[in-house]
Amino acid sequence: MAYPIENKLVVGITSTALFDFSLEHQIYEQEGVEAFQRYQEANRTKLPEPGAAFPFIKRLLNLNRLFPEESPVEVVILSRNDPQAGLRMMDAVPHYGLDITRAFFLSGADPYPYMKAVNACLYLSTNKEEVRSAVAEGHPAGFVLPCAASDDDLDTQLRIAFDFDGVLVDDEAESQYADGGLPLFHHYETTNKDRPLKGGPLMPLLQKISNIQKIEKSRSINDPLKAVRVSIVTARNAPAHDRMMNTLKHEGIEVDELFLTGGIEKKNILDVLKPQIFFDDQLGHLEPAAENTPCVHIPFGIRNQ
């Protein structure tokens, strides 16, 4: 009997976010579903290349090897493919050493409604409109941008970077910025510094990651290289940092790095930090960074209306 999925950090992911099926998608768009199905069947033995979210998923699943008693992670493929076309990606999973055993193949139907069925705290897709629909319905979903960055197999640490407002918390503070610019934003955040912000789309994901970090800490493993490092890369700067830190403390979360950029180009930080995934609610930050960093757009809040 499999370990109860309700106790795990569960990520739902589409086949095109996990593997590079750009050619196959082009066939689908230009020639239709039947041509796509024929291509997948005829090329079943041809392994797809890793997709933009592959480095993140590989290292996330590696946490099950590090903590076998808890086995804290589950990845479920949620795919629009039909079951026959899905065989090709299921063949690729063991080839790449990915411990993925659950997959839903839906023959064209939207996959994200099944997030609740698997208790997923994140859904990753390369379908921008599908992600917008998912977020509008209250699901923690993200659009995976194209990224050609190579993956280093010798680098096993999982590094996750988050923007703060509109990602980990709601857009309350961003609304103040939209109404009155930086002076009103800073005044509002200073006045409300002791009142935690409400959680945003990815706060449940960060809470699950934080729980895994606590498992690692409790083991007192004598290894300076942590299995998971969490960073926040935010456009906030002082004095708006207090409310952010008080919110994280309220949630019982500690992060490893904090970058109060105050408008510094985030790409400059991410190129040094080298996370396997970065979540932000603004494409203006993500599109430059995606040159070297796997990036995910969270279309939530006032900036995405």
Side-chain angles (χ1 to χ4, degrees):
M1 179 67 69
Y3 188 76
I5 200 168
E6 293 80 8
N7 297 338
K8 298 191 176 190
L9 186 167
V10 182
V11 173
I13 187 168
T14 64
S15 56
T16 53
L18 184 59
F19 298 116
D20 182 2
F21 283 120
S22 52
L23 172 61
E24 290 80 354
H25 182 68
Q26 185 177 359
I27 292 172
Y28 171 79
E29 291 287 325
Q30 296 179 355
E31 302 179 38
V33 63
E34 291 184 2
F36 167 80
Q37 291 171 336
R38 289 194 300 270
Y39 182 89
Q40 288 287 66
E41 187 172 357
N43 290 273
R44 179 174 174 180
T45 59
K46 183 179 179 182
L47 287 166
E49 293 295 318
F54 181 92
F56 166 63
I57 295 297
K58 182 176 75 172
R59 287 162 181 78
L60 191 66
L61 287 168
N62 187 54
L63 297 176
N64 289 338
R65 297 188 180 96
L66 296 177
F67 309 113
E69 293 180 18
E70 292 83 3
S71 192
V73 172
E74 183 84 19
V75 174
V76 182
I77 294 174
L78 300 178
S79 174
R80 288 175 176 269
N81 280 289
D82 68 278
Q84 186 65 37
L87 291 174
R88 186 178 174 207
M89 67 197 69
M90 293 307 291
D91 288 347
V93 163
H95 170 81
Y96 286 109
L98 302 177
D99 182 20
I100 298 175
T101 61
R102 291 180 167 105
F104 297 2
F105 297 107
L106 303 168
S107 298
D110 286 336
Y112 67 82
Y114 290 93
M115 290 178 65
K116 288 185 178 180
V118 299
N119 199 37
C121 59
L122 178 64
Y123 174 68
L124 296 174
S125 172
T126 56
N127 186 320
K128 185 183 298 185
E129 295 309 313
E130 177 187 80
V131 167
R132 286 193 173 276
S133 297
V135 171
E137 294 180 26
H139 298 287
F143 166 62
V144 180
L145 277 69
C147 179
S150 59
D151 189 23
D152 183 359
D153 288 332
L154 299 178
D155 178 10
T156 59
Q157 186 181 58
L158 172 59
R159 295 182 296 280
I160 308 173
F162 296 92
D163 180 30
F164 188 67
D165 296 280
V167 176
L168 295 178
V169 296
D170 66 7
D171 61 347
E172 175 190 327
E174 288 190 326
S175 297
Q176 297 297 316
Y177 180 84
D179 290 342
L182 196 59
L184 178 60
F185 170 78
H186 278 156
H187 173 74
Y188 184 83
E189 289 301 280
T190 301
T191 303
N192 292 278
K193 66 184 179 65
D194 295 322
R195 182 170 62 84
L197 287 151
K198 294 180 181 178
L202 297 195
M203 182 59 81
L205 171 64
L206 180 55
Q207 289 168 333
K208 294 276 190 178
I209 294 167
S210 180
N211 289 340
I212 295 173
Q213 289 182 303
K214 290 170 183 175
I215 292 172
E216 181 180 16
K217 190 174 182 179
S218 71
R219 300 294 159 81
S220 299
I221 300 172
N222 188 24
D223 187 346
L225 185 68
K226 288 185 175 182
V228 185
R229 292 190 71 84
V230 174
S231 306
I232 292 179
V233 183
T234 174
R236 284 180 178 243
N237 58 355
H241 65 292
D242 265 342
R243 193 178 188 194
M244 177 179 61
M245 297 306 297
N246 288 335
T247 299
L248 294 173
K249 184 177 180 180
H250 174 77
E251 297 289 345
I253 291 170
E254 296 181 5
V255 297
D256 297 291
E257 290 104 1
L258 171 62
F259 299 91
L260 301 167
T261 68
I264 295 172
E265 177 63 67
K266 291 184 179 182
K267 180 184 185 303
N268 298 343
I269 306 244
L270 296 168
D271 284 351
V272 179
L273 185 62
K274 293 181 171 55
Q276 285 86 32
I277 200 160
F278 172 56
F279 301 96
D280 201 306
D281 66 328
Q282 296 185 58
L283 282 169
H285 294 311
L286 292 165
E287 287 171 343
E291 178 184 1
N292 298 316
T293 299
C295 289
V296 177
H297 180 226
I298 309 298
F300 173 83
I302 191 169
R303 294 184 182 275
N304 290 282
Q305 292 176 358

